[in-house]
Amino acid sequence: MGNKFVMIGGGSTQSPGILEVLRKRAEELNLSELVLYDIDEERVSLLGQYTKMYYQELGSKVAVNYTTNIDEALVDADFLFMQIRPGLNKQRAIDEKICLNNGVVGQETCGLGGFSFAMRVIPAVLEIIRKVKEICPKAWILNYTNPEAILSEAIYREFPDANVLCICDMPISIEGAIAKYFNKDLRDVTFKYFGMNHFGWWTNIIDETGTDLLPILREDVLSGKIDTLLQSNDETKEDQYWIDTYRQMISLFKRFPEYFPNCYLQYYLTPDEMIAHDDPSFTRGDYVMQGREKRIYEECRRVIANGSAKDSSLHAGVHGNYIVDIAYAIIHNTRERFTVNKKNQGSIANFDPEAVIEVPAYVGSMGAETITVGHIPTFQKGLMEMQKAYEKMTVDAALSGSYQTALEAVMLNKTISNYTVGKKVLDELHEANKEFWPKLS
């Protein structure tokens, strides 16, 4: 028998890239059945109909189905790719505006935008995993759902024995840009990295000759030879957003040149600069709704109306390739190296062993075996300790419904400077998210 893959949140606009990789690599994955599951009937119907048509017309033998019934979707599943967003990008934009109008970071995984997203998504994801444990307990769950750092704390706390890997494509995206800068194939470069999701550093970049490229990159940055790792001739706003993000990452490396930073650290170390770039009246969530969302669903409607997908195509980028590469490693026990989120358990010697961290690991049929990092410096450890306390207390708040715990979590977030602002933003987010958050009291 072949493998059954289920897309949890199959109506997401992040799905198409993964769907294309699955189609191209179906044979090596022994993929026989693909199910798109979502609670949003319209979205999953659009992407489900499109995918069925697209696969069939390109000669795929994979049986494609879509449903809003999770029990039906999970029966006999082998792999679950999970990327859900309670409240959709509409709620994301609301959170971003509340934060920015109060002068604090509004990004959806950092600051209180991340806190609000976590409060919406933790109960939903934990309920899905309970269903998985009941219906298909041997299935592997590969989680792309944000905010990954906080969510992985909740998942591994509540389901320590579940077959779950929490992953993010941001590290490999940055690594790909670094490899390209040095004219190297990504697979010929070994990256040493530690931290938490969206909160980490690269300590070494070793090429196929054993040379550490990090000192060279550092010199190129400090000398002004390079100001962004991302170059493109595409002048779209989407492209410019990431060019600016990578430029700010280089600026951060100049200021803290010991290790190369994950781009999201800029929200914590230079929040004033990040806020200055944002428009409270038209946030990132608004941009996604009017850009990628509109484009993808309109294309689905066009293809369905025409009754053919022959003049349509999907793009298989890093997001799709990374999650499928990990599934392949599990299926074929390749023990290939990937960056994943797992409990520390001694990998970072001077950090909480029960805390979830993000580090490279060797992935095979038994899951992920993290590498040993050793001791980390005081500066990075201090930042991580505070951030980890915030993440753990956010999980506590979501599971307990305690307003006091939520407030204490908020005050641990480095983007919040004082009690008055923290409480005001928390209260406004709470009011705006009553439909989605656990009831706080």
Side-chain angles (χ1 to χ4, degrees):
M1 289 182 64
N3 287 318
K4 176 180 177 180
F5 280 62
V6 180
M7 300 278 289
I8 305 287
S12 166
T13 55
Q14 294 283 10
S15 295
I18 300 175
L19 294 168
E20 176 68 336
V21 181
L22 288 173
R23 182 191 66 81
K24 288 182 174 180
R25 300 177 62 181
E27 186 173 348
E28 64 189 73
L29 297 168
N30 193 24
L31 171 59
S32 61
E33 183 179 359
L34 173 64
V35 177
L36 280 67
Y37 160 76
D38 205 299
I39 62 172
D40 190 312
E41 185 172 4
E42 181 185 16
R43 294 187 178 211
V44 78
S45 176
L46 286 171
L47 273 165
Q49 290 180 72
Y50 176 96
T51 305
K52 286 185 79 164
M53 208 175 297
Y54 184 75
Y55 272 40
Q56 288 171 1
E57 292 183 0
L58 288 173
S60 174
K61 297 178 181 177
V62 177
V64 178
N65 295 292
Y66 59 93
T67 183
T68 57
N69 184 320
I70 191 168
D71 291 30
E72 176 184 297
L74 294 180
V75 171
D76 297 327
D78 297 290
F79 282 88
L80 311 172
F81 289 177
M82 182 160 58
Q83 46 181 15
I84 69 170
R85 182 183 289 279
L88 306 176
N89 277 299
K90 178 182 177 182
Q91 203 64 31
R92 169 188 182 176
I94 290 170
D95 289 348
E96 289 168 338
K97 289 178 173 67
I98 289 171
C99 292
L100 291 171
N101 284 325
N102 281 284
V104 299
V105 168
Q107 205 276 338
E108 70 160 347
T109 66
C110 308
L112 298 202
F115 174 85
S116 185
F117 193 3
M119 294 294 282
R120 290 198 302 275
V121 82
I122 287 172
V125 164
L126 296 184
E127 182 55 36
I128 289 169
I129 298 178
R130 288 187 193 99
K131 283 278 188 183
V132 172
K133 294 282 282 182
E134 173 189 334
I135 297 172
C136 53
K138 293 183 179 179
W140 273 99
I141 303 170
L142 303 185
N143 180 61
Y144 254 162
T145 303
N146 273 321
E148 190 75 79
I150 303 172
L151 189 54
S152 60
E153 277 289 341
I155 290 172
Y156 293 136
R157 181 192 300 187
E158 294 297 298
F159 300 100
D161 300 323
N163 294 329
V164 183
L165 277 182
C166 293
I167 60 175
C168 176
D169 63 0
M170 199 69 247
I172 197 171
S173 297
I174 295 172
E175 290 169 4
I178 293 172
K180 186 176 181 181
Y181 176 73
F182 286 107
N183 294 313
K184 301 284 185 181
D185 188 304
L186 180 58
R187 291 185 179 273
D188 290 334
V189 186
T190 300
F191 291 84
K192 294 188 177 182
Y193 175 91
F194 74 88
M196 285 111 62
N197 183 240
H198 291 182
F199 204 97
W201 298 262
W202 282 269
T203 62
N204 303 91
I205 305 167
I206 312 298
D207 72 4
E208 73 279 13
T209 70
T211 302
D212 188 353
L213 302 176
L214 183 61
I216 302 171
L217 182 60
R218 182 185 298 116
E219 180 58 32
D220 286 355
V221 167
L222 293 177
S223 68
K225 181 179 177 181
I226 175 177
D227 73 341
T228 180
L229 282 170
L230 198 64
Q231 305 291 343
S232 175
N233 295 321
D234 184 352
E235 294 301 325
T236 64
K237 286 185 179 179
E238 177 69 18
D239 190 69
Q240 192 59 50
Y241 170 84
W242 285 110
I243 290 174
D244 291 344
T245 298
Y246 275 57
R247 184 173 288 115
Q248 187 74 5
M249 179 172 62
I250 292 296
S251 175
L252 193 63
F253 186 37
K254 277 186 179 179
R255 298 166 182 179
F256 302 95
E258 182 179 15
Y259 298 146
F260 193 80
N262 188 299
C263 62
Y264 285 91
L265 282 167
Q266 57 199 300
Y267 289 102
Y268 298 98
L269 298 176
T270 57
D272 53 333
E273 295 173 18
M274 302 309 296
I275 293 167
H277 295 158
D278 290 331
D279 179 359
S281 66
F282 191 80
T283 68
R284 180 69 179 163
D286 292 317
Y287 177 74
V288 172
M289 283 188 284
Q290 294 192 24
R292 186 178 70 231
E293 279 196 8
K294 186 177 179 183
R295 183 176 67 252
I296 287 175
Y297 296 129
E298 283 184 353
E299 177 63 1
C300 287
R301 290 186 180 96
R302 186 190 69 82
V303 165
I304 293 166
N306 289 345
S308 173
K310 286 183 178 176
D311 62 345
S312 189
S313 63
L314 297 177
H315 173 66
V318 171
H319 185 78
N321 280 305
Y322 193 62
I323 195 168
V324 174
D325 282 343
I326 291 177
Y328 179 89
I330 293 171
I331 292 168
H332 296 284
N333 195 31
T334 65
R335 294 190 55 75
E336 189 176 347
R337 187 176 172 120
F338 297 94
T339 298
V340 301
N341 293 271
K342 290 279 289 182
K343 279 193 175 185
N344 180 20
Q345 296 178 332
S347 180
I348 299 176
N350 54 336
F351 198 65
D352 180 358
E354 290 301 305
V356 176
I357 59 171
E358 186 173 65
V359 289
Y362 296 101
V363 177
S365 58
M366 300 297 290
E369 182 181 355
T370 55
I371 58 99
T372 298
V373 174
H375 285 74
I376 59 175
T378 301
F379 176 63
Q380 286 79 13
K381 180 176 181 288
L383 289 171
M384 286 175 61
E385 294 279 10
M386 187 171 182
Q387 179 69 4
K388 182 52 63 178
Y390 153 72
E391 291 172 3
K392 287 188 171 186
M393 290 203 73
T394 299
V395 175
D396 291 342
L399 297 181
S400 69
S402 165
Y403 177 87
Q404 183 64 28
T405 302
L407 179 61
E408 290 171 1
V410 163
M411 294 311 302
L412 281 167
N413 193 286
K414 190 169 172 23
T415 67
I416 300 302
S417 60
N418 63 71
Y419 170 84
T420 302
V421 171
K423 186 176 188 308
K424 184 172 185 291
V425 177
L426 171 63
D427 289 345
E428 290 181 17
L429 289 171
H430 185 204
E431 181 65 28
N433 283 273
K434 281 186 174 178
E435 181 184 348
F436 303 100
W437 281 18
K439 185 178 165 116
L440 297 183
S441 59

